[in-house]
Amino acid sequence: MAAALCWGAVGSPRGLRALMRCEMQCARWCLITSRKLYSSLYDPNEKTFEKLLIANRGEIACRVIKTCKKMGIKTVAIHSDVDANAVHVKMADEAVCVGPAPTSKSYLNMDAIMEVIKKTRAQAVHPGYGFLSENKEFARRLASEGVTFIGPDTHAIQAMGDKIESKLLAKNAKVNTIPGFDGVVKDADEAVRIAREIGYPVMIKASAGGGGKGMRIAWDDEETREGFRFSSQEAASSFGDDRLLIEKFIDNPRHIEIQVLADKHGNALWLNERECSIQRRNQKVVEEAPSTFLDPETRRAMGEQAVALAKAVKYSSAGTVEFLVDSSKNFYFLEMNTRLQVEHPVTECITGLDLVQEMIRVAKGYPLRHKQADIPINGWAVECRVYAEDPYKSFGLPSIGKLSQYQEPLHLPSVRVDSGIQQGSDISIYYDPMISKLITYGSNRAEALKRMEEALDNYVIRGVAHNISLLREVIIHPRFVQGDISTKFLPEVYPDGFKGHKLTDLERRELLATAASLYVTEQLRSQRFLGTQRIPIAKSKRSSWELSVRLGDGVYPVAVSKESSSFSVEVDGMKLNVTSEWNLASPLLSVTIDGTQRTIQRLSRNASGDTSIQFLGTVYKLQILTKVAAELSKYMPEKIAEDTSSILRSPMPGAVVAVSVKPGDMVSEGQEICVIEAMKMQNSMIAAKTGKVKAVHCKAGDTVGEGDLLVELE
């Protein structure tokens, strides 16, 4: 296992100590258990670069900086004005602002970045992923200035970065390809004509870039026209290139990719596969290595085709060849990403290679140090992408805000967290809403998944919505555990949308007993002042309580008795023993319920008895009252819910791209009213019913927050 395994955010002395401790532990693990020592152990006699600039931000910038520090390379960070206090800025040896928040004026501003390179005399540039990582013009400009680009040359970037050209090259290299149209689609009418010729369903996607942006599935002519419009707009916004192509959509496939590594001397390796089938809106959510689906023969065939494609374009650096794999293990070339992938840590965990270090070595001209026979599959690794998103809205609409409390689960064994944020960081509207990549490693898949479950329970994120509940439900779902997955996993498992964890009767009793015990613990604490009774003449403490707990639509009588350091709680006529240290100041509470250990988080409480508890990954809202208070609460008036059928509110923070209606217009149910762009993804807002537009409260160019009123109907 690479020393990188336990990396986490190091925005504090505590984080730095944890990083050093984890790297030493992982290095010892590598020496003890591996017959071969891979590149996670750095050779100080091998000279590369003195100073390297990272043309990126967030977790990937931090990731590159960590390897540079290990290799003795000084680093230069770039940042926008809103990122001035970001973690990657603090970690780098130097940092320079390259412009205001919008990416087009900062992280995509080649002129500004080139000026920083000249000013700091950086010898090389690592682009990370996204932004300029697959921009051939950026690589060309660096080469013209004698600056090394940590990646392939411009020919490979152009050939593989363009989906149209890459598909033709893949065919010539005898790589299996998907049927489709190999030219650029000019307009919506041509898109419809091509789609009909190929046969529905089809995939419309941006020729440049990736990451799920500029991609739409169309099942008929209307969806093709709409997909052409949205995909071209997203492609232009994200990559500065609105060209599209269309190909046959393979229904219900797996998304499996092969990591390749090649040098400038004609050597190339495939570093096994990554399973990336759990996706929403064509963006990956959970990845793992290896895949449960591939047998050694299919793995070898995919690896050899990936290497053949890399050699065909004289590729040098780390890259990824993505395939779609059907139920019969037929695989088809999807695209090649000429950069480091977001999910590269799982490959590092099972091979022991530090891919960033390998990229730097290759860029300096060193040959690869390994042969294909040297590359192992050692154990199992799982990665969950932790996003600032509300998973109850379309499996994840962006959330913005300040991280009021943040604690990564690095105290657990075999856990790695790649992040670029810390407590107090802002998740803004301008950039991708990823908080971190959470990686766990095990000797087998079951162990890696169990550690992931524990890590998700111990991850503290406050101040923004997050997708921990969705991630946890995915990894414990029977279909996922059995390896029965495809790119349609989420809509198939949750056809009505994600609703959170569905409690069993036993789990419901455990939650009620835990919440009641927490309530009583607080009542007892409130009776004490500096370790003594508030009123010395008061009677001895109570030992039993009768409570009424509301959970969802149910109200449950709960009886609690204190027995030494534990509580005996009666729920549904059954008694449960609840034990904990009850440190109410800690964001995490380890509770043992009849011998079963649970890690919970209490997110909020108020004087009315309302409390929110994160239990088994999902946040549950409860109301805990004494028996008398519960009787009196029946007389309290209830708040009438807002009628949302006649109004349209923004489901997320974002920018209004277009408004399609005006006051007085008649609209039909399902008709598009406006388009909101959030984190570079465009979302069509539709009418909930047929009616006349009463008022429009937004216009193109406006910035809106979650819940802002957009349109009213009569």
Side-chain angles (χ1 to χ4, degrees), residues 47 72 187 265 359 479 541 587 592:
K47 302 301 180 185
D187 54 37
H265 305 277
M359 293 177 75
R479 271 189 58 179
K541 293 185 292 184
T592 302

Side-chain angles (χ1 to χ4, degrees), residues 354-382:
D354 179 335
L355 292 180
V356 173
Q357 181 180 339
E358 294 299 326
M359 293 177 75
I360 293 173
R361 290 188 69 257
V362 167
K364 188 61 177 176
Y366 291 109
L368 299 180
R369 292 178 289 183
H370 315 301
K371 303 296 182 184
Q372 190 62 57
D374 297 333
I375 306 303
I377 297 181
N378 194 347
W380 211 284
V382 180

